[in-house]
Amino acid sequence: MDRSNKVKLSLILYLNYFVHGIGLIILTQNMKTLSGEWGTPLAVVSFAISGMGIGKLIAYYALGSLSDRYGRKALVVFGMGMYVIFFFGITLTHDFHIAYLLTILAGMANSALDSGTYPTFLEMNGNNGAYTILIKAAMSLGEFVLPIYIGLNENLGGWYGMSFVITGAILLINLILISRTKFPQRPKTEKQISRRLFSERLTAPKIGMLIILSIYGYTSMAVMILFTQWITLYGIDFLGMNNLQAHFLLSLYSMGSIIGVLLIFSILQRGLIRDIRLIVGLNGLSVLNLLVICFSTNPLLVSITSFLFGVTAAGGVMQVGLNIFSAMFPHAKGRVTGIYFSFGSIALFTVPIITGMLSKISTAAALRFDLVIALISLVIWVIGHRLMDSIESSDLDRERRQINLIDFFILKLLQWRFKHVRAIGLKKVQQNGTIFDSKREKEILDKIEQKIRDKENSRYYQSIFESIMTSSKNYQSEIQEKGRV
């Protein structure tokens, strides 16, 4: 696949997830309005939102298998079509039952997009999972924009349905663009090998990780869904915020999510931290942020921690879990995606029902249930960290990961060194100085020799630094030649 087509396809797929980010919260952000439109209490509207979970649950595993067998593009187009029906359909109905069916379609649309998009990014980028993290950035951007728009629209007395119509129109345009865009070809080896998920014998640690990843598919989605559903009403009912301020809490969360995505993308791309350690740390910080959000009565403090919670809980940590899962079963990426997000779809179905019942006690009770879910995520990944150490018990793999990290810092230091080499080279051109300085080279090598502790490796270190100095002289010679011209 050529670079221009790759960039075009990436932008189209990310735009789909911008729309999907809106789709995930558009009902929750309009709960009071929809309650009036449908003539139902808030708890019933919350139940309608659970239809997304049913749709995802119905479709995920089957669509993941279809993605592996028949290709990614058909699944993505199918998902986009279902979402278009959802966005336009909600504005045309006043019946709760029809709305519930439409939310089921939206859940199926999400399943189709996930099953086609995540494997596509892995295949486009040589199985580098860093680029799938940017999907979350696109979703977060949609989750950031929508609450601000709805808050302003409500203050101006605008029609609630305009947000649905605009989003549906964006998706229709994207559907036209994607129909003219090629998808990457899957590797022949992947097509030829068995698609059985368990094509090898599973060890006890690997079975344990399967259980943990399945549970995390649920809890990681549940934490985000619950927060986005109730934080606005929590701000109004519990913190005494006005309408726009309460909606802005979700925008802060989404802004934090975008920052978190960029941070995680950078970490994964450079290999600075193992994904398993990253996921444990982020879940621990999420628990701390939720403690403040759920029990503080200070609106400013809750606003700050809502932003930080977006960084830690919604910055792509769920996608990091999927990357771990896909790495364990690289021959069945579509099916693995389906299994993982199937548990997320259970969260989409159950969380609105559970929190709808808790909201009868209070909005605060509904939101504080998020803390329970976050604690479960932290506990399972503390266990998962030990299991992954057992699975990745090879000393060779562990040492290579350390070398990769060391190489990263060596490269940064070499780049820093060559900036100074260039500066010295330019000064030598101005002063007509010579490139080779035997006294300076001997001085450097003598200092290095004095600092070496493992003397048996001295000749190797000397050879490395001699090579660096030779490259530096060649670079300065090149600068000098250009200066003469």
Side-chain angles (χ1 to χ4, degrees), residues 440-483:
R440 169 64 177 159
E441 286 194 12
K442 186 177 186 306
E443 180 184 330
I444 291 172
L445 293 173
D446 286 346
K447 282 184 178 179
I448 291 166
E449 181 65 32
Q450 291 171 10
K451 294 178 180 178
I452 294 172
R453 293 182 180 179
D454 48 337
K455 297 297 183 181
E456 67 274 15
N457 295 320
S458 176
R459 66 182 186 278
Y460 301 118
Y461 302 142
Q462 294 278 0
S463 176
I464 290 169
F465 275 91
E466 285 170 4
S467 176
I468 290 172
M469 288 189 289
T470 299
S471 296
S472 299
K473 287 185 288 187
N474 292 339
Y475 183 40
Q476 288 184 347
S477 296
E478 186 180 313
I479 292 171
Q480 196 172 69
E481 289 297 321
K482 289 179 180 177

Side-chain angles (χ1 to χ4, degrees), residues 26 30 33-34 37 87-94 149-150 152-166:
I26 199 165
N30 287 285
T33 304
L34 291 172
E37 288 287 320
F87 284 117
F88 287 110
I90 287 290
T91 63
L92 299 174
T93 184
H94 298 281
Y149 171 81
I150 290 177
L152 292 171
N153 189 52
E154 287 179 355
N155 283 353
L156 294 172
W159 178 48
Y160 85 95
M162 188 56 67
S163 57
F164 290 87
V165 172
I166 293 172

Side-chain angles (χ1 to χ4, degrees), residues 5-21:
N5 190 78
K6 180 179 175 181
V7 171
K8 181 183 176 183
L9 178 57
S10 296
L11 290 175
I12 289 171
L13 294 176
Y14 287 135
L15 185 56
N16 278 347
Y17 276 84
F18 169 80
V19 170
H20 174 50

Side-chain angles (χ1 to χ4, degrees), residues 207-244:
I207 292 171
M209 281 306 302
L210 274 171
I211 295 170
I212 285 171
L213 285 162
S214 299
I215 295 171
Y216 193 63
Y218 177 92
T219 59
S220 58
M221 177 66 78
V223 161
M224 293 185 289
I225 292 298
L226 196 156
F227 187 86
T228 56
Q229 183 176 350
W230 293 104
I231 188 60
T232 300
L233 293 176
Y234 179 80
I236 294 170
D237 297 342
F238 191 73
L239 298 175
M241 292 179 163
N242 64 38
N243 195 45
L244 188 57

Side-chain angles (χ1 to χ4, degrees), residues 294-315:
C294 290
F295 294 101
S296 173
T297 56
N298 186 318
L300 178 60
L301 187 56
V302 171
S303 297
I304 293 170
T305 46
S306 291
F307 171 82
L308 295 174
F309 183 64
V311 174
T312 58

Side-chain angles (χ1 to χ4, degrees), residues 162-182:
M162 188 56 67
S163 57
F164 290 87
V165 172
I166 293 172
T167 308
I170 292 171
L171 205 53
L172 276 175
I173 295 169
N174 216 29
L175 196 53
I176 295 170
L177 293 174
I178 204 169
S179 65
R180 303 174 182 176
T181 307
K182 292 182 179 178

Side-chain angles (χ1 to χ4, degrees), residues 29 35 68 87 104 116 142 148 150 153 188 193 201 206 234 299 306 330 376 399 439:
Q29 289 295 291
S35 176
D68 284 334
F87 284 117
I104 291 174
I148 296 175
I150 290 177
N153 189 52
K188 291 182 179 180
I193 64 172
R201 186 177 178 182
K206 213 164 190 180
Y234 179 80
S306 291
I376 292 171
E399 296 302 331
K439 183 179 178 182

Side-chain angles (χ1 to χ4, degrees), residues 6 17 149 254 342 375 382 416 483:
K6 180 179 175 181
Y17 276 84
Y149 171 81
S254 301
S342 289
L375 281 168
V382 169
W416 188 19

